[in-house]
Amino acid sequence: MAKIIPFKAVRPTRDKVSLVASRSYQSYTQAELEARLDYNPFSFLHIVNPGYKYHKDITGKERYNLVKNRYLEFKEDHIFIQDETPCYYAYKVVNRDGNMFSGIVAAASAEDYKNDVIKKHEDTIEYRENIFKDYLKTVGFNAEPVLLTYSGNSTINSIISEVQKERAEYEFTTHFRDTHYLWVIDNETSIKTIQKEFEDIDTTYIADGHHRSASSYLLSEDLKSENKQHTGNEAYNYFMAYLIPESDLKIHEFNRLVKDLNGLTKEAFLIQLDRLYRIENRGNELYKPNKKHHFSMYLDGEFYSLYLRKSNYTFNNALDALDTQILYKTILEPILGVSDLRNDTRIDYSHGKNDLVTIKSKVDSGIFKVGFGLVPITIEEMKAIADNHLTMPPKSTFIEPKLRSGVAIYEF
């Protein structure tokens, strides 16, 4: 039973939402960041980068306090307003590729995270969990929802469809040519129906935002222990989520690039590959795999197709059958010596929205020696990993939609 409740969002005024909304802070180049901070006083980036005001890099607790101050200033200046009653928010994104994503922004239960009603498929790093927990504890808000997915519900879909026939509260297009829409669902009957329908859903899955979910759970435990009158209904028992049917989710692959052949010659490397793969030289053909357990490889100016010899590889569980795990266990770790996929500086990743030309150009530049192309992981594979309490290798999925920070904010 998923506990998904409405909340009183803090939101930009309609006339400023396109100016406020931002991508995640880490996704900007330094030049992009400076341009937005220099020329857009309403950008949410001013809140999360408070040191800009003082031309100084500020970190730790001092930064957290200044983030809170900038946020309060946006509220005081009426750039942000808060809804008077708890609402759900229908949110739609139409990207430049024509893909449409439609779901509900709501508050998800931290207790559900603890009890595996919200299921995970990635490992989190403890120190990152605690850093973000401390950040949340100081600033007192979520500004970027965790992306959750579920099997779908015809009643919820019907309510969203009816709401979307009306004029959107927000409609804005980004520099990436993605158009975002938000509708406020404040009808009491619709709210009760949506909440009840989610209660009939046994499981939701984290598609994107594992660290944010983990940190929000840790925060709820901290604040619960500090509150002698804790009831379970406090805002800190929840975190902001965007819930989208799994049929609407778009999963892209993450391709791999490695800087050297671990001391091997090209010929010696290919001979070692031949033990577990049938190899075909594709020459200049931009070869992209289209089946599970098939990979493309770009090496020394040529593309190759790699077909796993299944007779020499054992599938024990859902993780063993995952292409990112197969590549790791058969090539990256034993042959190329890349054992730490998260921290080894010899490996890099390029998500599947970039084409094979990206891999080719990076190898041709000499920065990398070899690149590998994969097919995307499916939602069924992702759910199987989560259901069996397994974890994918890092950078196994690049998932859309990507929402903007600052469009709806959850306070606790």
Side-chain angles (χ1 to χ4, degrees):
M1 183 175 108
K3 194 169 185 181
I4 306 295
I5 66 171
F7 69 101
K8 300 177 184 178
V10 174
R11 303 185 286 111
T13 55
R14 189 202 293 257
D15 63 315
K16 293 185 176 64
V17 62
S18 63
L19 297 170
V20 170
S22 73
R23 305 197 310 268
S24 63
Y25 176 76
Q26 294 84 0
S27 69
Y28 290 93
T29 66
Q30 189 60 34
E32 288 176 323
L33 190 61
E34 289 176 359
R36 281 157 178 76
L37 291 170
D38 283 343
Y39 299 110
N40 180 4
F42 301 109
S43 174
F44 191 77
L45 293 169
H46 282 282
I47 293 176
V48 294
N49 189 44
Y52 171 82
K53 183 176 181 179
Y54 303 105
H55 307 288
K56 179 183 177 183
D57 288 331
I58 300 172
T59 59
K61 188 72 173 179
E62 185 180 19
R63 174 177 171 262
Y64 305 164
N65 284 317
L66 288 178
V67 167
K68 184 175 183 179
N69 289 347
R70 293 293 87 75
Y71 173 67
L72 292 175
E73 287 170 5
F74 269 51
K75 291 181 72 175
E76 291 162 2
D77 293 340
H78 304 292
I79 299 168
F80 285 146
I81 56 174
Q82 185 167 26
D83 289 318
E84 295 181 358
T85 59
C87 305
Y88 289 113
Y89 303 88
Y91 200 111
K92 181 171 75 173
V93 183
V94 181
N95 71 14
R96 62 181 176 184
D97 299 322
N99 296 313
M100 185 180 76
F101 311 95
S102 189
I104 285 183
V105 177
S109 167
E111 194 73 13
D112 282 356
Y113 178 87
K114 175 185 177 181
N115 294 332
D116 210 34
V117 174
I118 298 173
K119 293 194 173 184
K120 314 92 182 167
H121 65 263
E122 286 184 8
D123 274 332
T124 50
I125 301 171
E126 186 176 359
Y127 85 88
R128 284 183 60 190
E129 292 177 8
N130 284 300
I131 286 174
F132 195 58
K133 177 204 72 174
D134 293 342
Y135 169 83
L136 293 174
K137 195 171 186 178
T138 301
V139 303
F141 64 82
N142 293 146
E144 184 179 353
V146 171
L147 182 60
L148 299 180
T149 191
Y150 61 101
S151 58
N153 178 285
S154 59
T155 301
I156 295 173
N157 290 346
S158 177
I159 292 173
I160 292 174
S161 295
E162 283 301 311
V163 168
Q164 291 181 350
K165 291 177 182 177
E166 303 171 5
R167 181 192 178 192
E169 176 69 13
Y170 297 151
E171 178 181 349
F172 64 95
T173 301
T174 71
H175 291 89
F176 284 0
R177 291 180 287 165
D178 300 337
T179 302
H180 295 244
Y181 306 83
L182 180 142
W183 293 262
V184 179
I185 303 176
D186 55 7
N187 177 275
E188 188 174 336
T189 300
S190 296
I191 288 173
K192 287 180 178 178
T193 301
I194 291 169
Q195 187 164 348
K196 183 181 182 306
E197 291 298 317
F198 273 119
E199 287 173 357
D200 291 336
I201 293 173
D202 293 330
T203 305
T204 62
Y205 296 84
I206 300 175
D208 191 19
H210 282 78
H211 280 93
R212 279 172 280 146
S213 304
S215 299
S216 295
Y217 167 68
L218 292 177
L219 175 68
S220 71
E221 291 294 291
D222 265 17
L223 296 180
K224 179 168 68 175
S225 67
E226 295 170 8
N227 183 5
K228 294 180 181 179
Q229 280 76 46
H230 173 80
T231 66
N233 296 319
E234 296 86 357
Y236 60 71
N237 293 292
Y238 299 86
F239 57 92
M240 186 166 63
Y242 179 43
L243 294 108
I244 183 171
E246 60 188 42
S247 58
D248 284 5
L249 210 61
K250 181 69 174 175
I251 304 177
H252 300 275
E253 71 277 15
F254 260 111
N255 299 315
R256 273 79 168 123
L257 293 141
V258 183
K259 290 185 177 179
D260 58 66
L261 297 181
N262 197 28
L264 298 171
T265 64
K266 171 185 172 181
E267 291 73 20
F269 174 59
L270 290 172
I271 288 171
Q272 289 209 33
L273 279 185
D274 195 79
R275 291 186 296 109
L276 283 171
Y277 289 91
R278 195 183 87 200
I279 306 170
E280 292 184 10
N281 188 320
R282 301 278 181 158
N284 293 323
E285 176 190 349
L286 286 170
Y287 175 71
K288 183 177 177 64
N290 58 16
K291 292 183 180 179
K292 291 294 175 187
H293 317 326
H294 292 187
F295 304 92
S296 66
M297 180 176 72
Y298 185 67
L299 171 68
D300 195 25
E302 295 179 308
F303 280 93
Y304 296 81
S305 56
L306 307 180
Y307 303 101
L308 181 69
R309 300 184 192 275
K310 295 179 183 178
S311 60
N312 292 334
Y313 184 86
T314 303
F315 297 94
N316 294 311
N317 54 38
L319 179 60
D320 290 336
L322 211 63
D323 281 352
T324 49
Q325 180 74 356
I326 291 170
L327 191 69
Y328 172 62
K329 283 298 185 181
T330 60
I331 300 176
L332 297 180
E333 183 181 42
I335 300 177
L336 295 179
V338 179
S339 57
D340 187 346
L341 294 173
R342 205 177 289 276
N343 299 307
D344 195 321
T345 58
R346 295 171 56 232
I347 190 168
D348 200 4
Y349 304 89
S350 175
H351 61 69
K353 289 203 76 175
N354 297 327
D355 56 27
L356 289 175
V357 174
T358 302
I359 291 178
K360 182 180 185 301
S361 63
K362 288 188 175 185
V363 173
D364 288 345
S365 72
I367 300 173
F368 295 95
K369 186 68 176 179
V370 62
F372 300 95
L374 296 82
V375 298
I377 285 167
T378 65
I379 184 66
E380 290 76 20
E381 289 178 304
M382 189 182 83
K383 289 168 63 176
I385 293 290
D387 289 341
N388 288 282
H389 302 98
L390 301 168
T391 54
M392 294 183 183
K395 299 291 187 184
S396 286
T397 57
F398 179 85
I399 295 180
E400 291 186 292
K402 300 292 185 187
L403 298 192
R404 294 280 161 147
S405 296
V407 177
I409 297 171
Y410 178 76
E411 290 187 343
F412 39 81

